[in-house]
Amino acid sequence: MDTRESMALDGLWRFSPDPQGDGERRGFATPEFSVQRWREVLVPSVFEAGCPDLDYYQGICWYRRNFQLPAEWRDRRIVLRFEAVNYRAKVWLNGVLVGESRDGFLPIEFDVRQTADCGGDNVLAVAVDNRHYPGDVPGMHVGWRGYGGILRETSIYTTDPCFLDALTIYGTPCRKGGQVACRVRVVNTRRTPVKGALEVMIHDTLGYSVTVLGAHGLRLAPGEAREVAVDGALKDVMEWSPAAPVLYRAVAQFTEGLEAVDTVDTRFGLRCIEVTPEGLRLNGQPLFLTGFNRHEDSPRAAMAVDLDTARRDLERMKEAGANYVRLCHYPHHPGELDLCDELGLLVFGEIPLYFWNDVEEGRRTNAEREATAARQLAGMIARDINHPSLIFWSVSNETHENEAEVVATNAALIRRAKALDPSRLCVHVSSHWATSPHFEEDDVICVNGYPSIDWETPGSSVVGAEGRAAAVWRQQLAALHACYPDKPILITEFGYPSFAGTFDHVFGEDAHARVIADEFTAFDASYCCGATIWCWADHPWPTGRFLGGLTVSPFGVVSRERRPLAAFHTAAALFRTRQGLEPPPTAAWPGPQSIIMLRPDMDNLPAPNFPPGYGIRHMAVGDIGLWTDIERDAEPKMWITDDMFFLEFGDDLKAIAGRCFIITDPRGRGIGTISAWYHRNFHGEDWGRIHWVAVRPAEQGKGLGKAALAYALHALAQWHDRAFLETSIERLPAIRLYLNAGFRPDLTFPEQREAWQTLNEQLNHPALTEALAEKITT
């Protein structure tokens, strides 16, 4: 047997709400209780995935599943692990309560060697409670939607009773290479003493050995746990930075004689973050942070793990000139940190001690809340300490620092973070800094501010979109700097809301972009070390609390479906310029393999004549899966993701019924799609758009595309007096179809002319020849 074996417990579980909280009394956790009539749900997921009627539900839900364990696991240590359950959890195995947790967003483990049935059937039951309790972290006031559920992966694994409990690596670059300090916790739960050796092997990205460090002659008595330190120098190694995110792997192995007892491994990087009188420095070089706040949310998975969306988000941030991301306001999935390590994005990590004030929660829970926060802080640091991208530990966000107990707790938590990890910067984030600044313990001053918004007025109005907000920032930051002249200031939140696809009003996309550009100008003082936009994407938040009762926070520079808004393009230009990068291309669309075609009027539209038996119908939201299947069938060269429809149309789902269509065969089956969509700012104006034309290969050649295009043009003519479309230069039959339907080439982009001339050599279409000649003449 390998030193460690693991079994995933994700997949299909049984699920039931427990609104009265009497499931434990009724025996939900006992193996004898029948769950045959419980609903099925794929885990990881939120409550709503198990029962859509639970939208915004706060209470208890139960999860059950059966699994088998190998008989060979007997006499070994067996551990049940949850990457995150939100918020409280009680866990039973085979009817025995094996443990509880009050710490959402962090992993929980239970030693179940005495409870698990190796070689037999096991019944796992979990009661999850997402209500808020005084003394918890987060407590009674939360600024994001508190989804309940088993949000991240679940597994069970086995080790020898003598095992390695933790491997911590501190990697520091130096002139001749680097230094590593390895800390390995060895635990002996055997009934007999253990004598062995510990080796830590360092490998580069190609797997070649860099060095081997070791400690020999280790003796552990029964029940003893010991932290073993092994340090050493590394030659010919590279430092980690956003420009060059070089990673190394450390493999720790404990051996007894010639036999490997246990092995753990981790990635790490060599980097140094420090505060100097001139500001932040990374590996000795000046550092100005530009980035976004990101919540753990996606339309597909809500708050459950979705690393595909996370990767796309982080890659787009980097392309937009960001060199860091604040993972607000709780420990995110460790896979996101892995991505930041690989992509070269610095990270701001945080526990969910949010908006704490004694008025709402009462002083009687202060001690409990501080203990919970300290436990979560230690858990986050222990889990994430080896990620080189992570440079800040944050102990709270927007707590009420006009109250002495809150100030004292923030200070105590920062001191605790520094004791647990002296290699990083330790801070808290303040929204009371202008009136009650308390940053004596902080390495960097972190502040949030929204001077362009009047939070007290229903509907919220602009108070400074034309330069006033920047002046407020400058005045208040200068006063704060005078109080702490030796500490740099990081703006951890600034931003503004907008409603996607709307313009020329107080919360239009154009106003959002103007505020971002205006306020960013205020952060050029020498003592400012960075600026963080609130936020990356629109996301759900508590109902009825903010901006007139909106259920989705509209502060994202991209929509919840990840469509870029005007503020995104503004932020990208600002960030890239500040980091000395080339500005984003202004004419990046269409891409090198795409062309744009225009129909300047909607006159003389062709008639939508379908072959006998074939037709077209309006699409419904329930057809999204069908749409995706048709697109995949029709577009073998194009990567059609599960969320592609939402990326293209998700900002206006109500328009689907009028603008999206399914082509049907004589049996009524969906065989094609077409959309009569819109673009509110194409060439600076409002245009109709023929979008996503596709027909299954088996049905092509029957004139369905021609008929569907005519139908969609007639639909567009109800709302628009002109239309455009984008297509690939490789789709010659489709281009001929569009030319026959009255579309002409868009020659706005000079680089498109050569593509169109090449296409005309293949198509030899009179309308295209005429359009190219007219453009040359004019």
Side-chain angles (χ1 to χ4, degrees), residues 231-369:
D231 303 342
L234 304 179
K235 295 182 179 180
D236 300 322
V237 291
M238 299 176 62
E239 61 193 20
W240 185 99
S241 71
V246 179
L247 296 170
Y248 294 89
R249 181 169 294 278
V251 180
Q253 186 171 82
F254 184 77
T255 58
E256 190 176 20
L258 299 177
E259 182 179 355
V261 176
D262 196 19
T263 304
V264 294
D265 68 291
T266 187
R267 295 192 307 184
F268 71 99
L270 304 166
R271 63 108 185 91
C272 176
I273 183 71
E274 57 186 337
V275 175
T276 71
E278 292 76 32
L280 290 182
R281 288 189 176 269
L282 181 70
N283 304 328
Q285 299 300 313
L287 176 67
F288 187 89
L289 299 170
T290 49
F292 301 92
N293 288 268
R294 182 185 188 273
H295 262 300
E296 209 163 28
D297 172 72
S298 73
R300 182 188 69 82
M303 214 172 192
V305 54
D306 184 356
L307 292 180
D308 289 338
T309 296
R311 175 180 285 277
R312 289 196 295 272
D313 284 351
L314 297 170
E315 289 175 341
R316 290 176 73 187
M317 289 181 196
K318 182 104 179 183
E319 292 170 0
N323 60 4
Y324 107 108
V325 57
R326 181 186 179 203
L327 300 181
C328 54
H329 292 296
Y330 38 80
H332 285 220
H333 191 286
E336 292 184 38
L337 291 168
D338 288 334
L339 291 170
C340 291
D341 290 342
E342 297 164 7
L343 296 172
L345 276 172
L346 297 161
V347 173
F348 189 106
E350 196 162 62
I351 62 170
L353 184 58
Y354 176 89
F355 216 76
W356 169 23
N357 68 88
D358 286 329
V359 175
E360 289 189 12
E361 302 193 30
R363 287 178 168 82
R364 59 185 175 81
T365 60
N366 280 355
E368 183 181 6
R369 187 182 301 106

Side-chain angles (χ1 to χ4, degrees), residues 66-353:
N66 291 44
F67 63 94
Q68 287 75 42
L69 290 177
E72 294 79 12
W73 284 22
R74 291 193 183 98
D75 302 323
R76 291 176 61 81
R77 174 175 172 259
I78 302 173
V79 180
L80 180 63
R81 180 180 176 91
F82 298 83
E83 287 298 330
V85 179
N86 279 18
Y87 294 114
R88 293 189 174 196
K90 296 181 72 173
V91 181
W92 291 261
L93 183 62
N94 299 326
V96 177
L97 179 65
V98 296
E100 303 181 39
S101 170
R102 291 174 48 192
D103 300 331
F105 308 110
L106 286 170
I108 49 179
E109 290 192 341
F110 306 107
D111 189 326
V112 296
R113 72 182 92 182
Q114 302 300 324
T115 313
D117 184 358
C118 297
D121 191 56
N122 293 269
V123 179
L124 177 60
V126 185
V128 182
D129 185 354
N130 72 329
R131 290 173 293 187
H132 303 293
Y133 294 90
D136 276 5
V137 174
M140 303 305 292
H141 189 112
V142 178
W144 61 92
R145 179 168 170 179
Y147 284 102
I150 301 178
L151 300 189
R152 300 174 190 164
E153 300 86 350
T154 303
S155 62
I156 191 166
Y157 69 91
T158 181
T159 73
D160 188 276
C162 181
F163 60 95
L164 303 180
D165 189 42
L167 167 60
T168 301
I169 304 288
Y170 297 98
T172 307
C174 58
R175 182 176 299 178
K176 295 183 179 180
Q179 295 283 336
V180 289
C182 308
R183 302 294 179 264
V184 187
R185 188 167 183 263
V186 187
V187 181
N188 179 26
T189 62
R190 294 181 187 176
R191 297 179 180 179
T192 58
V194 173
K195 179 181 178 181
L198 178 70
E199 283 191 337
V200 179
M201 296 156 279
I202 309 295
H203 303 281
D204 64 16
T205 54
L206 298 178
Y208 292 110
S209 177
V210 176
T211 190
V212 178
L213 309 171
H216 301 275
L218 299 175
R219 296 176 181 270
L220 283 85
E224 182 181 359
R226 183 189 308 175
E227 183 176 88
V228 180
V230 286
D231 303 342
L234 304 179
K235 295 182 179 180
D236 300 322
V237 291
M238 299 176 62
E239 61 193 20
W240 185 99
S241 71
V246 179
L247 296 170
Y248 294 89
R249 181 169 294 278
V251 180
Q253 186 171 82
F254 184 77
T255 58
E256 190 176 20
L258 299 177
E259 182 179 355
V261 176
D262 196 19
T263 304
V264 294
D265 68 291
T266 187
R267 295 192 307 184
F268 71 99
L270 304 166
R271 63 108 185 91
C272 176
I273 183 71
E274 57 186 337
V275 175
T276 71
E278 292 76 32
L280 290 182
R281 288 189 176 269
L282 181 70
N283 304 328
Q285 299 300 313
L287 176 67
F288 187 89
L289 299 170
T290 49
F292 301 92
N293 288 268
R294 182 185 188 273
H295 262 300
E296 209 163 28
D297 172 72
S298 73
R300 182 188 69 82
M303 214 172 192
V305 54
D306 184 356
L307 292 180
D308 289 338
T309 296
R311 175 180 285 277
R312 289 196 295 272
D313 284 351
L314 297 170
E315 289 175 341
R316 290 176 73 187
M317 289 181 196
K318 182 104 179 183
E319 292 170 0
N323 60 4
Y324 107 108
V325 57
R326 181 186 179 203
L327 300 181
C328 54
H329 292 296
Y330 38 80
H332 285 220
H333 191 286
E336 292 184 38
L337 291 168
D338 288 334
L339 291 170
C340 291
D341 290 342
E342 297 164 7
L343 296 172
L345 276 172
L346 297 161
V347 173
F348 189 106
E350 196 162 62
I351 62 170
L353 184 58

Side-chain angles (χ1 to χ4, degrees), residues 623-642:
D623 291 317
I624 292 175
L626 173 62
W627 181 96
T628 304
D629 183 68
I630 292 172
E631 289 289 340
R632 284 176 174 154
D633 194 18
E635 300 286 353
K637 295 182 180 180
M638 185 175 178
W639 184 39
I640 306 296
T641 61
D642 290 340

Side-chain angles (χ1 to χ4, degrees), residues 21-57:
D22 62 350
E24 188 172 350
R25 178 186 60 80
R26 297 177 61 187
F28 285 5
T30 62
E32 296 79 18
F33 186 89
S34 174
V35 296
Q36 181 178 357
R37 294 196 295 177
W38 283 21
R39 296 176 66 97
E40 293 181 341
V41 64
L42 288 174
V43 171
S45 61
V46 298
F47 285 168
E48 288 83 346
C51 182
D53 291 339
L54 295 178
D55 199 26
Y56 281 96
Y57 168 80

Side-chain angles (χ1 to χ4, degrees), residues 595 597 727-740 755-756 758-765 768:
I595 51 175
M597 302 184 72
T727 190
S728 168
I729 61 175
E730 298 177 350
R731 302 184 67 184
L732 295 181
I735 295 171
R736 185 180 296 278
L737 169 67
Y738 300 142
L739 289 167
N740 291 339
W756 277 110
T758 301
L759 285 170
N760 199 31
E761 293 174 2
Q762 302 172 66
L763 293 170
N764 193 26
H765 195 285
L768 180 53

